[in-house]
């Protein structure tokens, strides 16, 4: 069993879009469940994208959704959370700091994180470089919040180790468009394996990238299983077994 905690549904404006999230792609890599955000919601209109994703999730049994939140449109975000989280098909929140112009240190992002914490679900937050340290501080300052550092800081993975050590309510997921040698192994060696997840950034990036990076880390079977699915099942409260 593999749970992909960082995936997408819908077309991209980038040329590297590999395909829609589909069962053939998931089956090729042994992904049992994907947690997806709507591309439209992330890059253009959060509310419209969430609404479209809600309709699509009713047609699939192997996908869960993120309610995408734009920190600069919190009234809309609150309405969407109230509408979609009770369906049971949405299990968390996605926030992209760059597309919304809401850095982790901004008051808008802090307000959005407090709103997520009040709903009791995890937030997948885009991080890059040292911003993963800012996210750790924001989580520590927000009672009850659980957050996932998307890309675990990308080229700032060493900061991600520091961030995860500083905050026990921060999880890391590794998807990244590059594959620096030793990146995954360094993070696994420095962080509680119970706070590591697996994500691919599909459909923007082919899952082969994440799979290759994790395989190169030569993980023990126990740690590999935690990262592949057990940690995600516990964090999101998913009713699935291997």
């Amino acid at each position: 069993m593999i749970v992909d905690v960082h995936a997408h549904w819908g077309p991209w404006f980038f040329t590297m879009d590999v395909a829609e999230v589909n069962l053939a792609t998931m089956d090729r890599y042994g992904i049992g469940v994907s947690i997806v955000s709507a591309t439209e919601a992330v890059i253009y209109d959060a509310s419209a994208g969430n609404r479209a994703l809600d309709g699509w999730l009713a047609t699939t049994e192997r996908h869960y959704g993120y309610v995408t939140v734009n920190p600069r449109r919190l009234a809309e975000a609150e309405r969407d959370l109230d509408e979609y989280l009770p369906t049971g098909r949405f299990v968390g929140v996605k926030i992209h700091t760059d597309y919304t112009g809401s850095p982790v240190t901004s008051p808008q992002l802090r307000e959005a994180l407090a709103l997520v914490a009040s709903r009791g679900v995890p937030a997948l937050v885009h991080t890059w470089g040292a911003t993963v340290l800012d996210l750790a501080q924001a989580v520590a300052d927000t009672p009850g919040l659980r957050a996932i550092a998307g890309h675990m800081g990308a080229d700032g993975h060493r900061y991600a180790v520091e961030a995860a050590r500083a905050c026990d309510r921060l999880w890391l997921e590794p998807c990244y468009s590059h594959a620096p040698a030793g990146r995954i192994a360094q993070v696994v060696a420095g962080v509680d394996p119970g706070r590591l997840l697996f994500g691919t950034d599909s459909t923007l990036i082919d899952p082969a990238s994440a799979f290759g990076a994790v395989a190169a880390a030569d993980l023990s079977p126990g740690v590999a299983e935690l990262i592949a699915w057990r940690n995600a099942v516990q964090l999101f409260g998913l009713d699935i077994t291997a």
Side-chain angles (χ1 to χ4, degrees):
M1 168 62 73
I2 296 172
V3 176
D4 182 354
V5 305
H6 191 156
H8 307 279
W9 170 76
W12 287 91
F13 59 85
F14 294 111
T15 57
M16 65 271 263
D17 185 358
V18 296
E20 293 183 3
V21 172
N22 59 69
L23 297 180
T25 300
M26 292 170 66
D27 288 344
R28 187 183 310 148
Y29 295 100
I31 298 170
V33 171
S34 288
I35 308 177
V36 301
S37 57
T39 304
E40 179 183 11
V42 172
I43 65 176
Y44 180 60
D45 186 324
S47 189
N50 289 333
R51 183 167 58 252
L53 179 58
D54 178 51
W56 181 77
L57 286 173
T59 71
T60 175
E61 295 297 324
R62 288 173 58 184
H63 300 85
Y64 291 93
Y66 288 110
V67 178
T68 298
V69 164
N70 184 335
R72 296 184 178 275
R73 296 183 177 179
L74 286 186
E76 290 182 6
E78 189 164 11
R79 288 197 300 268
D80 284 356
L81 292 172
D82 289 342
E83 181 173 357
Y84 301 125
L85 288 179
T87 67
R89 296 301 298 171
F90 288 82
V91 294
V93 166
K94 170 68 178 287
I95 302 177
H96 200 296
T97 54
D98 289 351
Y99 288 138
T100 62
S102 307
V104 179
T105 54
S106 68
Q108 292 86 358
L109 196 283
R110 290 294 188 108
E111 289 181 36
L113 293 177
L115 179 62
V116 176
S118 73
R119 297 310 196 270
V121 295
L124 172 61
V125 181
H126 178 83
T127 62
W128 213 265
T131 64
V132 67
L133 294 172
D134 297 327
L135 180 60
Q137 186 61 57
V139 174
D141 292 342
T142 307
L145 177 64
R146 294 169 297 153
I148 303 163
H151 312 291
M152 63 183 194
D155 59 356
H157 62 278
R158 293 176 180 83
Y159 297 122
V161 173
E162 183 180 344
R165 287 176 174 174
C167 179
D168 63 4
R169 288 180 282 117
L170 182 69
W171 282 256
L172 308 176
E173 71 82 15
C175 66
Y176 183 29
S177 53
H178 300 275
R183 176 174 177 261
I184 304 297
Q186 290 171 27
V187 173
V188 171
V191 174
D192 175 359
R195 285 194 284 124
L196 301 173
L197 304 166
F198 181 74
T200 67
D201 216 3
S202 174
T203 55
L204 178 59
I205 299 174
D206 192 292
S209 177
F211 271 85
V214 172
D218 194 24
L219 306 176
S220 70
V223 170
E225 188 171 80
L226 288 174
I227 295 173
W229 68 279
R230 287 193 180 277
N231 290 340
V233 166
Q234 183 176 25
L235 176 61
F236 289 95
L238 304 179
D239 185 19
I240 59 175
T241 57

